[in-house]
């Protein structure tokens, strides 16, 4: 870069000698060179070069920002289909299309559906109250019951067809198969569990209140599935 500047300065000095002057540098040429401030000319030329370089950089397109890839979403738990290992029973019995009564087995299954819908929505106290004896049949307080679901990131359930109502001595029981699946908060690992919910209500006997004659959960047996 400095060698090129020297050539430019020398050319300017030769031009100052006139078109008819010989190219051999004589005493007159040396006097002309001495009259030119070489250092000032070099500084000015370097300033022009720096300005050009700065303008060139400003006109360059900005490189595209490097985007950090988003983490891959955790796989959602997919429960086995009915009839498959780990899935609900493949009950192909046609379901009656007539409206069911709250006291029927289908009424009990409806309570189970409501129960798991509340759990999915994290409405734990309302779900706890669907247990018999005002929630006490769960064996936990409302706060402990809610804390037990703190490990889940997503919590879902499939409800199977209810069994027959077991009647005797003024009491009614029915069992409803369930399949629970979702993901845990620990790395959003999927889980799959299967079991049953047992519900109870009092039959139409003297002294039974409306609350007694409604289905409530009395037992839940849920086992992990491989």
């Amino acid at each position: 870069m400095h060698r090129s500047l020297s050539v430019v300065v020398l050319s300017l000095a030769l031009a100052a000698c006139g078109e008819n002057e010989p190219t051999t540098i004589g005493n007159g040429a040396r006097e002309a060179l001495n009259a030119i401030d070489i250092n000032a000319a070099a500084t000015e030329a370097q300033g022009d070069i720096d300005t050009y370089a700065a303008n060139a950089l400003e006109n360059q397109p900005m490189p595209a920002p490097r985007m950090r890839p988003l983490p891959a979403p955790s796989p959602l738990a997919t429960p086995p289909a009915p009839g498959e290992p780990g899935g609900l029973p493949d009950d192909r019995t046609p379901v009656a299309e007539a409206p069911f009564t709250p006291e029927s087995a289908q009424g009990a299954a409806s309570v189970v559906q409501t129960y798991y819908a509340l759990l999915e929505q994290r409405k734990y106290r309302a779900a706890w109250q669907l247990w018999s004896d005002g929630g006490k049949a769960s064996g936990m307080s409302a706060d402990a019951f809610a804390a037990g679901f703190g490990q889940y990131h997503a919590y879902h359930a499939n409800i199977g067809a209810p069994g027959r109502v077991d009647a005797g001595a003024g009491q009614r029981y029915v069992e409803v198969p369930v399949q629970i699946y979702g993901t845990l908060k620990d790395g959003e690992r999927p889980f799959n569990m299967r079991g049953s919910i047992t519900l109870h209500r009092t039959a139409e006997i003297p002294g039974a209140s409306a609350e007694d004659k409604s289905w409530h959960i009395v037992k839940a047996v849920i086992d992990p599935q491989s």
Side-chain angles (χ1 to χ4, degrees), residues 98-117:
F100 61 86
T101 62
E103 299 81 13
S104 66
Q106 190 60 39
S110 179
V111 172
V112 177
Q113 289 178 330
T114 301
Y115 175 72
Y116 282 106

Side-chain angles (χ1 to χ4, degrees), residues 37 44 46 49 82 113 139 223:
D37 189 344
E44 183 177 355
Q46 184 63 49
I49 292 172
Q113 289 178 330
D223 297 319

